[in-house]
Amino acid sequence: PTAAMAGKAPSFQGMKPPPGYVAGLGRGATGFTTRSDIGPGAPAPPMGAQATLGDAASGSRAAMARGFGRGRGAPGASAPPVDDEPDQQPAQFDAFQGGDAGIFAARKGDYDDDDREADEIWASVDDHMDSRRRDQREARLKAELEKYRKENPKITEQFADAKRKLQEVSYEEWDAIPDIGDYSIKKKKGGREFAPAPDTLLQKAMAERETSAYDDGANGSMSDATAGNSSSGGVRNDLTAVGEGRSSVLGLKLDAMGDSVAGQTVVDPKGYLTSLSSVKVSSTSEISDVKKARLLLKSVISTNPKHAPGWIAAARLEELAGKISAARSFAQRGCDACPTSADAWLENARLNPPDVARAVLARAVVALPDDVELWIHAAQLEDDDVRKRRVLRKALERCPNSVRLWKAVVDLSEEDDAKILLARAVECCPQHVDLWLALARLETRENARVVLNKARETLPAEPQIWIAAAELEEAHLEPPLSEVATEGTEASGADILASSMERSNIVRKIIERAIKSLRNKGVSVDREYWLREAETAEKAGSPLTCRAIVFATAGAGVDELDRKRTWKADAAEALARGSVETARSIYEVAVETFPGKKSLWVLYAKLEGDSGNDLKMDAVLKRAVKRCPRAVVLWLMAAKELWRRGDVSGARAVLEESFAANPDSEDIWLAAFKLEFESRQIERARALLLKAREKAAESSTTSSGSLKSAGERVYLKSAVVEREAGDVHAERALITEGLERHGNVSWKLWLMLGQLERRVGAFDAARDAYAKGTRRLPECAFLWIELAALETSLGNHHKARAVLEQARLRQTAFVTESGTETRGVSAERNGENTDISAKERLWLASIRRERGDAFCFSAPFFCDELGRLKALANSNSAGVVVSVSSTKAPSFGRFGDETVPSQGDTVNGTQKSTFDRDACLSASDALAALALRECPDSGALWAERVLSASRPQRKSRSVDALKRCGDDAKVVAAVARLFWLDRKLDKARAWFHRATTLDSSDGDLWGSFYAFEKRHGDEKNREDVKMKCVAAAPRRGDFWCAARKDPKRWHDPIESVLERVAELVPGGEDR
């Protein structure tokens, strides 16, 4: 058997495995058991190699169930038990697969005829499938191979034609070919070679330079200069020269590179940073977005190459990415793919330089000869007007109906050529009114009429033609309206107005015919449109046309009940847009429609006054007083305008006429008094007031039987005249008479009586007058403050404090009972515009009195009080002894609290008292806190608290004040003063400007601003502040009223008052 088996390998399929053998264990396999092997109720067999070996060795049922060795031919669970002596089958050994022949290894037998037949059948099937489409496949492969070889030719193929031509080369030509010379075939840099010195040599030179600049090559040692000079023999190298030579070589090389124009290596040192700033550095996210967009647009272009917006978007994306060449490539490809897209051609022209863009647009107009946009851009690319006109005329040959092309070529042509072109344009485009109007403007008057008539026949529903006809007639009127308005002074305002009205009749008739014709054509008259056209005509220099349009269309579509309100609004809007003539015409229509409306005449007169035309204003006021003779305000405006221009006699004549029309008007009597009083005519002013009082006494009685007495203001002005004249008895008598008639309503008369008694030294009578006034009018803050000032001047500080406290309590009770808070004293009674309530004014007086500052700004005594404070500030400081007179005469002590004098503590027969400045400031701060608790939104109190703060507290208090009252002018001015104190002049100037803008009627703000400019500004800034103050005409403010109503400066102009206030207001110094 052994000999028989010698030719084949033994088979181990049926043999028993050796002990410990596990199939696949050498390859890392492990035994496992599934549920199908052990059954649903059988316990899990032991795992691992030992269990497997044991089961396999014992031939257990589980091992048989798992089918160990079944792949090698072992029987399964249902097979009969195998023999211990396996059947050796050497014939099953395969030379290719060995003993492991797959799943058929256990089959008994050899390769038979059936297997051979099956293999032949499958081979025939494979041959048949391979023969299908063989020709097409081989042809495709051959075409792909040819295409690849064509796109990637070999070097020999590229030079094949050149090699074939070598046979034509003669021997002489062959010998004339020069030699290459350098067989290294290496690129040389500029034809130069430079070997830099090694670093070791440089380091050695640096080390040797400390002692000697020479190297003795004979002995190789370093020595000093002397030793080097004395050495004999050898080679000496100058290392300094070596370093300098290296630097020279390097410099020459850099210079050569810098001068290389061909390589573009010239660096502009000035523009280098600028060029770097223009370089766009894209972030990672931007680059990612560009890549995504590029992929998306590539898909768009590939799927729909005829879509021009896709090419344009791709070109703009590349432009955004900074790749202008790629952008131009996409634009050109877009033009090739979409030759009928004008946008693609325009984008291509935009991305290219002008020369290339001209060529692009030349091809574009060939592809799209009727596209106007292409012709316009082609003309814009030309340098001179001649070429532009040439391009536009070629465009008109292709597009004769394009209005845009006609306008462009007309704009570039001379006047004569423009006429010819416009004549042709109206033939090609007869429905465009702009061409007709342009042609009419270039023609003479007669030809223009002909042109406009043709235009009206062609476009009967176009209002612009009628308006152009009216402007044409106005432009050829002789003489122009401007010359009539600027005639000599002999012509009156009424004559000028009549002349302008007569001359405007021609233009008015044209506009009226236009309105009638348009209505007949079915065109609705839009009032807003016509008013806009009126403003356009005014700006074009045609005031008569503007006026005619307003007269014809102002009432169109407006209800009769709403005409007055609507016309007022239209005039205000026109003035806001700067259309003065349009607003004037609207007011003219309004006063003609409503001649008895006083408010319309007032607005009309103010318009003429603001425009600066005095003659027209006089004409309007004369018409106004004739239409409204009972309107006192119109008479007063006429008189004031004449008095302002210095015509006192003319103002007197106007007031005399007004007396005849309004004999019982108190305003006219007072206006006449003011005219004479300001002219320093005291006797005439006194006579006028006397006549006014007599006229009132002689007037008819009322239903109750009492005489109708003269008004409060008549007695006030009468007392002022007597005070100006210096007649104390007459002044007292007039005030007493006025109090008998108006004592319950006139707080000013009580105030004047107390000031009169105080001025003559009758302090008890002054105290009695103030006390009676406070009992009659407890809501009047000025009477309480005057009484407290009187007590303070007499040294009765405790009484002054008690008076102010009582005033605050009475004011609180009055507000509680009435439910309203009085502004100042009483806005209805005093006739003054004030923004401070009575309670705020009383709190301010209390705070200032406790701090020791002036708190009463009564004009007759304010300057004396300021003098006293200045003298006290110069001679004393906090804690210094101040003498107080024992009599009741006015003392010159500080306004603050005083200590009780000790017994016998006298100096030269006078009591001695001391003032504690710190105690005064503490009391003032406590009052300020209480005041802000009751009036948290008072700008005056916040401003006072900011100004009285110490330097460390200024910033915090100013921030609190701005948070609470950020738009209050007094708070803003207080912050400006803080900037002034800190010497931040620009900020201070800006905040002062803001304060005067918020409240231009407060004279104290203008005084502070002017004081600042006097100290730190130039002459231009001072004059600017002064002019603005005069224009604003302020009438409020403590310091302003004290300076304005000072009897010594009663007649001073506003400029002088401003100078005086600038001296009185606190400046940029700490308190």
Side-chain angles (χ1 to χ4, degrees):
T2 307
M5 297 175 59
K8 295 183 180 180
S11 176
F12 298 96
Q13 288 289 50
M15 299 176 63
K16 183 179 179 179
Y21 172 77
V22 177
L25 184 63
R27 299 189 302 271
T30 58
F32 61 93
T33 303
T34 64
R35 177 60 65 183
S36 63
D37 294 331
I38 64 177
M47 301 297 293
Q50 296 298 328
T52 304
L53 293 174
D55 292 341
S58 61
S60 64
R61 186 173 300 176
M64 298 299 292
R66 288 192 295 271
F68 285 109
R70 185 178 301 176
R72 297 184 299 275
S78 61
V82 296
D83 296 334
D84 294 338
E85 294 293 334
D87 188 10
Q88 300 292 333
Q89 298 179 1
Q92 296 182 1
F93 180 81
D94 186 81
F96 178 72
Q97 296 181 350
D100 193 3
I103 61 175
F104 301 104
R107 197 188 70 169
K108 307 294 184 180
D110 298 330
Y111 183 75
D112 53 7
D113 296 337
D114 295 334
D115 296 335
R116 188 180 298 107
E117 183 180 2
D119 292 339
E120 291 175 356
I121 292 172
W122 284 111
S124 63
V125 170
D126 292 338
D127 294 339
H128 176 71
M129 295 300 296
D130 184 64
S131 64
R132 296 179 63 183
R133 301 184 181 87
R134 179 180 300 171
D135 298 336
Q136 294 87 340
R137 184 170 63 254
E138 291 178 354
R140 185 176 69 254
L141 293 175
K142 184 178 180 181
E144 291 178 357
L145 181 60
E146 292 177 356
K147 181 180 179 181
Y148 175 79
R149 290 178 177 176
K150 184 178 181 180
E151 292 178 355
N152 302 279
K154 297 180 180 179
I155 298 297
T156 57
E157 295 176 355
Q158 293 180 9
F159 294 96
D161 54 345
K163 288 182 178 180
R164 283 192 296 267
K165 292 181 180 180
L166 289 178
Q167 61 184 358
E168 301 176 0
V169 179
S170 62
Y171 289 101
E172 291 79 9
E173 293 175 348
W174 191 269
D175 293 337
I177 296 176
D179 295 334
I180 188 172
D182 187 1
Y183 293 93
S184 63
I185 315 298
K186 292 182 179 180
K187 185 178 180 181
K188 297 299 188 295
K189 298 180 180 179
R192 301 179 183 179
E193 291 185 0
F194 174 72
D199 295 339
T200 55
L201 180 61
L202 297 177
Q203 292 177 358
K204 186 177 181 180
M206 292 176 61
E208 294 172 352
R209 190 171 184 143
E210 297 179 357
T211 57
S212 175
Y214 295 93
D215 179 19
D216 192 352
N219 51 19
S221 61
M222 300 298 299
S223 60
D224 56 7
T226 308
N229 293 332
S230 61
S231 63
S232 61
V235 180
R236 302 179 62 205
N237 298 325
D238 191 351
L239 298 180
T240 305
V242 171
E244 293 178 353
R246 183 168 183 261
S247 300
S248 301
V249 172
L250 181 59
L252 292 174
K253 185 175 181 180
L254 291 177
D255 293 340
M257 293 177 62
D259 296 336
S260 177
V261 180
Q264 295 296 324
T265 57
V266 178
V267 178
D268 182 11
K270 295 182 179 179
Y272 183 68
L273 295 178
T274 306
S275 62
L276 287 181
S277 62
S278 63
V279 177
K280 180 182 178 182
V281 180
S282 301
S283 62
T284 306
S285 60
E286 292 179 355
I287 295 174
S288 177
D289 294 340
V290 170
K291 290 182 179 179
K292 292 179 181 179
R294 188 178 286 117
L295 290 176
L296 180 61
L297 292 175
K298 182 179 180 181
S299 176
V300 172
I301 294 171
S302 60
T303 55
N304 190 6
K306 298 297 183 180
H307 186 58
W311 295 102
I312 295 173
R316 292 185 178 177
L317 177 65
E318 298 299 336
E319 181 186 10
L320 180 63
K323 298 181 178 180
I324 190 64
S325 299
R328 292 171 181 172
S329 176
F330 275 111
Q332 182 60 42
R333 291 169 60 189
C335 293
D336 297 339
C338 308
T340 58
S341 175
D343 295 334
W345 290 106
L346 292 176
E347 185 68 17
N348 192 5
R350 185 184 68 84
L351 293 174
N352 284 281
D355 296 336
V356 181
R358 293 191 190 99
V360 170
L361 290 179
R363 289 186 284 114
V365 296
V366 173
L368 298 171
D370 296 332
D371 193 282
V372 177
E373 194 70 25
L374 292 176
W375 287 106
I376 293 294
H377 279 77
Q380 291 176 354
L381 287 176
E382 299 297 336
D383 298 331
D384 54 352
D385 294 342
V386 177
R387 293 184 178 181
K388 290 181 180 180
R389 288 196 299 267
R390 186 182 305 161
V391 173
L392 292 173
R393 288 181 179 178
K394 289 183 179 180
L396 287 173
E397 294 176 1
R398 300 291 305 181
C399 307
N401 298 326
S402 175
V403 179
R404 187 178 178 186
L405 290 175
W406 284 110
K407 289 182 179 180
V409 72
V410 167
D411 291 339
L412 295 174
S413 302
E414 300 293 336
E415 183 175 351
D416 297 335
D417 296 337
K419 290 180 182 179
I420 300 173
L421 291 172
L422 287 173
R424 177 59 180 166
V426 296
E427 294 177 2
C428 297
C429 307
Q431 299 299 322
H432 291 82
V433 67
D434 295 337
L435 299 177
W436 290 101
L437 297 180
L439 179 58
R441 293 190 188 98
L442 293 177
E443 295 288 351
T444 60
R445 181 180 183 182
E446 299 299 330
N447 294 336
R449 285 179 177 177
V450 174
V451 171
L452 292 176
N453 289 332
K454 290 182 180 179
R456 188 169 62 251
E457 294 174 359
T458 307
L459 302 171
E462 182 57 54
Q464 291 286 342
I465 300 174
W466 292 96
I467 297 174
E471 292 178 349
L472 177 65
E473 295 299 330
E474 180 181 358
H476 292 83
L477 287 177
E478 296 293 341
L481 182 63
S482 58
E483 296 182 7
V484 177
T486 57
E487 287 180 352
T489 56
E490 295 84 2
S492 62
D495 296 337
I496 293 177
L497 186 60
S499 176
S500 62
M501 293 295 292
E502 180 180 357
R503 293 162 53 79
S504 63
N505 287 335
I506 302 173
V507 179
R508 183 183 298 182
K509 289 180 181 179
I510 296 176
I511 298 299
E512 290 175 354
R513 287 178 56 195
I515 299 297
K516 184 178 179 181
S517 175
L518 291 173
R519 285 177 176 171
N520 293 334
K521 297 296 180 180
V523 180
S524 61
V525 178
D526 187 2
R527 191 175 65 90
E528 299 295 334
Y529 168 78
W530 282 98
L531 289 180
R532 288 196 299 269
E533 291 298 329
E535 295 184 17
T536 305
E538 177 186 354
K539 294 177 181 178
S542 302
L544 295 181
T545 304
C546 169
R547 187 177 306 169
I549 292 174
V550 173
F551 286 167
T553 61
V558 182
D559 191 9
E560 293 184 0
L561 298 178
D562 296 335
R563 284 188 173 184
K564 178 182 175 182
R565 178 181 56 82
T566 303
W567 285 337
K568 281 184 178 181
D570 291 341
E573 292 176 1
L575 281 177
R577 292 189 292 266
S579 302
V580 179
E581 187 64 33
T582 304
R584 181 183 291 115
S585 303
I586 293 173
Y587 280 133
E588 186 66 33
V589 174
V591 297
E592 289 294 334
T593 308
F594 303 102
K597 296 296 182 179
K598 175 182 62 177
S599 59
L600 292 175
W601 288 107
V602 171
L603 292 174
Y604 194 4
K606 287 183 178 180
L607 170 65
E608 299 297 348
D610 294 338
S611 62
N613 197 328
D614 297 335
L615 297 179
K616 287 187 177 181
M617 185 176 183
D618 292 340
V620 170
L621 288 174
K622 287 182 179 180
R623 292 170 58 199
V625 295
K626 288 181 180 179
R627 298 291 185 91
C628 303
R630 303 292 296 177
V632 178
V633 63
L634 296 175
W635 291 104
L636 296 180
M637 287 181 66
K640 182 178 180 180
E641 185 64 24
L642 292 174
W643 173 73
R644 184 181 62 83
R645 295 202 295 264
D647 189 2
V648 179
S649 59
R652 287 198 186 103
V654 171
L655 290 176
E656 290 176 0
E657 294 180 7
S658 64
F659 280 134
N662 303 279
D664 298 330
S665 176
E666 182 178 299
D667 293 331
I668 295 179
W669 285 102
L670 293 178
F673 152 74
K674 184 177 181 180
L675 177 64
E676 303 298 341
F677 186 72
E678 294 295 339
S679 302
R680 308 295 180 92
Q681 301 293 332
I682 303 299
E683 297 299 330
R684 295 175 66 93
R686 182 184 294 168
L688 283 171
L689 292 175
L690 178 61
K691 189 174 182 180
R693 295 195 300 272
E694 293 175 352
K695 189 75 174 178
E698 295 174 358
S699 61
S700 60
T701 59
T702 60
S703 58
S704 60
S706 60
L707 282 176
K708 183 179 180 181
S709 62
E712 169 197 2
R713 292 186 297 165
V714 175
Y715 286 100
L716 287 174
K717 302 301 180 182
S718 302
V720 169
V721 171
E722 299 302 334
R723 184 177 63 185
E724 181 78 8
D727 193 345
V728 177
H729 299 287
E731 181 183 358
R732 185 182 288 110
L734 288 171
I735 293 175
T736 304
E737 182 181 352
L739 287 174
E740 291 176 357
R741 301 179 183 275
H742 307 285
N744 294 328
V745 295
S746 179
W747 61 271
K748 287 187 177 181
L749 287 174
W750 289 110
L751 200 63
M752 292 182 69
L753 179 59
Q755 291 174 356
L756 171 63
E757 301 298 343
R758 182 180 174 185
R759 192 169 66 248
V760 298
F763 301 108
D764 294 334
R767 183 186 293 110
D768 184 62
Y770 291 139
K772 288 181 179 180
T774 54
R775 287 194 295 269
R776 295 281 189 92
L777 300 168
E779 72 276 10
C780 176
F782 289 106
L783 289 173
W784 294 101
I785 294 174
E786 287 281 350
L787 179 57
L790 176 63
E791 298 295 346
T792 302
S793 64
L794 296 176
N796 302 325
H797 301 282
H798 297 290
K799 285 186 178 181
R801 183 182 296 108
V803 166
L804 292 175
E805 186 174 357
Q806 183 183 4
R808 296 197 303 271
L809 294 176
R810 294 290 295 274
Q811 182 64 28
T812 304
F814 177 78
V815 172
T816 304
E817 293 176 0
S818 62
T820 57
E821 186 176 2
T822 57
R823 305 298 297 174
V825 179
S826 177
E828 294 79 14
R829 294 177 183 175
N830 61 18
E832 294 181 357
N833 183 14
T834 177
D835 60 342
I836 302 178
S837 65
K839 184 189 294 186
E840 296 172 13
R841 193 174 293 278
L842 290 171
W843 277 114
L844 280 175
S846 302
I847 294 170
R848 291 168 178 171
R849 198 205 69 82
E850 292 296 337
R851 194 172 57 242
D853 292 340
F855 64 93
C856 180
F857 297 89
S858 179
F861 315 107
F862 177 68
C863 296
D864 296 337
E865 292 176 359
L866 282 183
R868 179 173 64 251
L869 288 176
K870 290 182 179 179
L872 186 65
N874 293 331
S875 59
N876 300 300
S877 60
V880 179
V881 176
V882 180
S883 62
V884 180
S885 176
S886 60
T887 63
K888 289 300 180 180
S891 63
F892 296 94
R894 184 177 286 274
F895 291 159
D897 198 2
E898 58 178 321
T899 59
V900 179
S902 59
Q903 295 292 335
D905 190 7
T906 60
V907 178
N908 298 327
T910 12
Q911 291 181 347
K912 182 178 69 175
S913 61
T914 59
F915 293 88
D916 190 353
R917 179 65 175 174
D918 296 334
C920 295
L921 294 177
S922 300
S924 174
D925 291 340
L927 282 177
L930 291 175
L932 288 176
R933 186 179 302 173
E934 290 193 13
C935 306
D937 297 329
S938 174
L941 291 175
W942 276 108
E944 188 68 23
R945 189 161 177 79
V946 169
L947 292 176
S948 62
S950 59
R951 182 175 289 273
Q953 297 177 341
R954 288 173 184 170
K955 185 175 181 179
S956 60
R957 288 191 181 180
S958 61
V959 171
D960 295 340
L962 290 173
K963 287 182 179 179
R964 178 68 69 169
C965 308
D967 293 334
D968 190 274
K970 290 182 172 57
V971 174
V972 174
V975 175
R977 276 199 57 198
L978 294 186
F979 285 128
W980 186 2
L981 293 172
D982 295 337
R983 292 303 181 264
K984 298 178 180 179
L985 304 182
D986 293 336
K987 289 187 177 181
R989 181 177 290 107
W991 282 75
F992 273 128
H993 179 71
R994 180 185 172 191
T996 54
T997 303
L998 289 173
D999 188 4
S1000 60
S1001 61
D1002 194 336
D1004 292 351
L1005 304 181
W1006 288 107
S1008 300
F1009 196 5
Y1010 189 70
F1012 169 78
E1013 294 296 346
K1014 286 182 67 176
R1015 183 73 62 84
H1016 303 287
D1018 52 9
E1019 186 66 26
K1020 181 181 179 181
N1021 292 335
R1022 288 193 292 271
E1023 292 299 325
D1024 183 60
V1025 172
K1026 186 180 295 185
M1027 290 176 59
K1028 290 181 179 179
C1029 179
V1030 172
R1035 56 190 179 279
R1036 292 188 295 103
D1038 295 333
F1039 294 96
W1040 183 268
C1041 292
R1044 190 76 177 89
K1045 297 181 180 180
D1046 190 355
K1048 301 177 183 178
R1049 298 178 175 85
W1050 186 272
H1051 303 282
D1052 289 352
I1054 294 180
E1055 294 85 348
S1056 301
V1057 177
L1058 181 63
E1059 294 282 352
R1060 178 59 177 164
V1061 173
E1063 298 175 359
L1064 297 178
V1065 295
E1069 296 83 12
D1070 291 332
R1071 290 189 173 186

